[in-house]
Amino acid sequence: MEDQSFPGGHGMRIGIVVANWNREVTDALLEGAVNTLVEQGVAEEDIAVQRVPGSYELPQGAAMMIHSTTLDAVICLGCVIQGETRHFEFIAQAVAHGCMNLGLETLTPVIFGVLTTDTFEQARDRAGGKHGNKGVEAAAAAIQMAAFQHLTDLGGDEPGDLQ
Ligand code: DLZ
């Protein structure tokens, strides 16, 4: 990590919900996320992975995880590709709003790790290709938000101290 003050993930328990649609891409996002969590100190046994059919089901899958087990954050991983249909807009917007609302309602950080691209190639480029891996970014965001929440739970430092 570039930021030396980045909080570690030791002792954190992180859920990951992954969509099966465009699985080649979502598997690469999952790999990037899990590797990053482990590199940052999250124990492998504290990473819970669940699969859902498509990105549309990600918020509901995340809600099920939050309500059935104790988690410090949930990462939603998916890949929505603009096709011939208007499914793209409906799915992408529903997932984005669903993740945001779930995080606000439960105060468990819900991380939006969903690629929304015009082509499959663009998605591949962002799942371990020339434009990095959004799964890595999502894992970093999960740790940062979980640490933020721990600080606020303790009523201690200002959130700004995490920057
Ligand atoms: C139906 C659909 C379509 C057309 N495209 C995608 C996509 O690009 N990425 C994705 O994750 N899921 C897609 N789906 C499936 C929906 O997310 C959902 O699983 C189904 O509509 C069933 O609710």
Side-chain angles (χ1 to χ4, degrees):
M1 289 290 150
E2 281 174 33
D3 182 354
Q4 295 304 309
S5 67
F6 187 84
H10 300 273
M12 289 181 182
R13 190 166 153 72
I14 309 289
I16 305 179
V17 194
V18 201
N20 282 336
W21 260 75
N22 301 312
R23 188 157 177 169
E24 179 188 328
V25 170
T26 61
D27 277 349
L29 297 177
L30 177 62
E31 190 181 341
V34 169
N35 288 345
T36 302
L37 292 175
V38 171
E39 277 166 25
Q40 294 303 313
V42 180
E44 281 188 44
E45 61 268 26
D46 287 332
I47 302 171
V49 178
Q50 293 290 345
R51 290 195 167 270
V52 293
S55 293
Y56 189 80
E57 284 76 33
L58 285 170
Q60 195 172 17
M64 289 172 178
M65 285 189 100
I66 288 170
H67 289 295
S68 64
T69 183
T70 305
L71 296 170
D72 294 293
V74 184
I75 300 168
C76 294
L77 298 176
C79 171
V80 189
I81 298 174
Q82 176 106 61
E84 299 293 314
T85 73
R86 291 184 61 208
H87 262 95
F88 175 85
E89 287 163 43
F90 296 136
I91 294 171
Q93 285 193 16
V95 183
H97 289 153
C99 289
M100 174 60 77
N101 291 339
L102 182 64
L104 293 174
E105 280 163 18
T106 62
L107 292 186
T108 296
V110 178
I111 307 302
F112 183 73
V114 180
L115 290 171
T116 53
T117 60
D118 292 332
T119 66
F120 193 77
E121 204 56 37
Q122 289 172 346
R124 252 206 215 118
D125 290 344
R126 290 158 179 79
K130 64 183 176 194
H131 292 309
N133 188 325
K134 194 171 175 72
V136 171
E137 290 171 31
I143 291 175
Q144 197 159 8
M145 287 304 291
F148 185 159
Q149 202 205 37
H150 287 177
L151 282 182
T152 54
D153 278 348
L154 292 170
D157 308 71
E158 291 298 315
D161 290 350
L162 286 172
Q163 300 292 322

